[in-house]
C-alpha cells in the first residue's frame, strides 16, 4: 500500500539588520522531504524512536531539490554555507507536539554571519558538523531567490513540522 499523506517542514527565514533590528527580508517556504527522510519518518512508527537531535544548515549553489538528496550526497551537490557563528550547524530544538505538529518557535536558530555570502537554501539533518555527510537528511528547501548576507545581518530560522490527515 502506498497511500501518501503530506508531511514536511515549513521554514520561515527572517533576516534583520544587526544594529537596528529592522527586517531586511523574510521567506516562508515549504520543504521537500527527500526519500531518505521519508523512510526514516516511516520507521518511527515501526521502531517508536526518532532522532536524538536535529541540526539546520545553509547552502548555496544551483541545485533544485528533487527528493533524491541524502546526507551522504548533499556536500557533492551543494556548497554548504559555513560563514556564521559557532563551530557546528544550528540545533533545531523542537517544542511540544500540538495538533499534529511541532516547531522551534520557542528556540529559533539564529545565524550571525561573519562573511559576505550567498544563501540559496537550508536543510535539516541529524549531523551537527558543518560539512558533515553522515546521518539522515530530513529536509531540504531552496529559497525563491538567492539571498546575499554579510556581517551586518543576522537571520532567525523557524522550522515547523506538520502531519496532515486526509
Amino acid at each position: 500500500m502506498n497511500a501518501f499523506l503530506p508531511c514536511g517542514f515549513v521554514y520561515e527565514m527572517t533576516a534583520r539588520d544587526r544594529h537596528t533590528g529592522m527586517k531586511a527580508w523574510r521567506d516562508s517556504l515549504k520543504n521537500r522531504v527527500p526519500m531518505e527522510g521519508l523512510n526514516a519518518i516511516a520507521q518511527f512508527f515501526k521502531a517508536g524512536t526518532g532522532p536524538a537531535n536535529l541540526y539546520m544548515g545553509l547552502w548555496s549553489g544551483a541545485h533544485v531539490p528533487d527528493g533524491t538528496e541524502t546526507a551522504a550526497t548533499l556536500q557533492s551537490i551543494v556548497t554548504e554555507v559555513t560563514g556564521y557563528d559557532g563551530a557546528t550547524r544550528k540545533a533545531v530544538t523542537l517544542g511540544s507536539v500540538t495538533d499534529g505538529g511541532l516547531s522551534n518557535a520557542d528556540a529559533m536558530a539564529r545565524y550571525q554571519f561573519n562573511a559576505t555570502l550567498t544563501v540559496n537554501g537550508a536543510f535539516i539533518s541529524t549531523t551537527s558538523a558543518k560539512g558533515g555527510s553522515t546521518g539522515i537528511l530530513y529536509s531540504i528547501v531552496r529559497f525563491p531567490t538567492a539571498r546575499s548576507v554579510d556581517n551586518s545581518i543576522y537571520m532567525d530560522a523557524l522550522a515547523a513540522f506538520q502531519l496532515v490527515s486526509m
Side-chain angles (χ1 to χ4, degrees), residues 11 13 29 31-32 55-60 65 74 78 111 119-125 137 139-143 155 157-159:
Y11 295 75
M13 310 302 244
L29 313 143
N31 80 319
R32 169 157 236 145
Y55 302 92
M56 186 182 300
L58 304 173
W59 59 274
S60 65
L74 187 65
V78 302
Y111 295 86
V119 181
N120 287 59
F123 62 91
I124 294 176
S125 80
L137 181 66
S139 174
I140 185 166
V141 68
R142 182 177 176 85
F143 297 172
M155 184 178 72
L158 172 84

Side-chain angles (χ1 to χ4, degrees), residues 11 36 53-59 70-93 104 107-112 121-140 157:
Y11 295 75
E36 178 176 66
N53 298 296
L54 294 173
Y55 302 92
M56 186 182 300
L58 304 173
W59 59 274
T70 66
T73 63
L74 187 65
Q75 298 303 318
S76 66
I77 56 179
V78 302
T79 301
E80 185 166 352
V81 171
T82 60
Y84 56 86
D85 62 310
T88 63
R89 295 172 180 158
K90 299 297 181 177
V92 177
T93 305
N104 71 336
M108 284 192 279
R110 176 167 286 180
Y111 295 86
Q112 298 205 43
F123 62 91
I124 294 176
S125 80
T126 58
T127 301
S128 65
K130 289 181 181 178
S133 59
T134 60
I136 297 171
L137 181 66
Y138 279 97
S139 174
I140 185 166

Side-chain angles (χ1 to χ4, degrees), residues 6-165:
C7 74
F9 285 89
V10 174
Y11 295 75
E12 185 171 287
M13 310 302 244
T14 304
R16 297 186 180 278
D17 181 282
R18 185 177 285 180
H19 303 289
T20 67
M22 291 186 64
K23 182 171 57 174
W25 51 266
R26 176 181 292 179
D27 285 328
S28 293
L29 313 143
K30 292 183 180 178
N31 80 319
R32 169 157 236 145
V33 178
M35 189 54 64
E36 178 176 66
L38 290 172
N39 289 338
I41 292 166
Q43 186 65 31
F44 299 162
F45 293 105
K46 183 175 181 179
T49 58
N53 298 296
L54 294 173
Y55 302 92
M56 186 182 300
L58 304 173
W59 59 274
S60 65
H63 182 67
V64 176
D66 61 13
T68 63
E69 302 84 4
T70 66
T73 63
L74 187 65
Q75 298 303 318
S76 66
I77 56 179
V78 302
T79 301
E80 185 166 352
V81 171
T82 60
Y84 56 86
D85 62 310
T88 63
R89 295 172 180 158
K90 299 297 181 177
V92 177
T93 305
L94 298 170
S96 300
V97 175
T98 304
D99 298 327
L102 58 147
S103 77
N104 71 336
D106 291 335
M108 284 192 279
R110 176 167 286 180
Y111 295 86
Q112 298 205 43
F113 299 99
N114 53 30
T116 300
L117 307 161
T118 299
V119 181
N120 287 59
F123 62 91
I124 294 176
S125 80
T126 58
T127 301
S128 65
K130 289 181 181 178
S133 59
T134 60
I136 297 171
L137 181 66
Y138 279 97
S139 174
I140 185 166
V141 68
R142 182 177 176 85
F143 297 172
T145 183
R147 296 298 190 173
S148 180
V149 296
D150 60 32
N151 65 0
S152 70
I153 296 284
Y154 69 85
M155 184 178 72
D156 288 333
L158 172 84
F161 181 83
Q162 184 72 47
L163 290 169
V164 178
S165 177

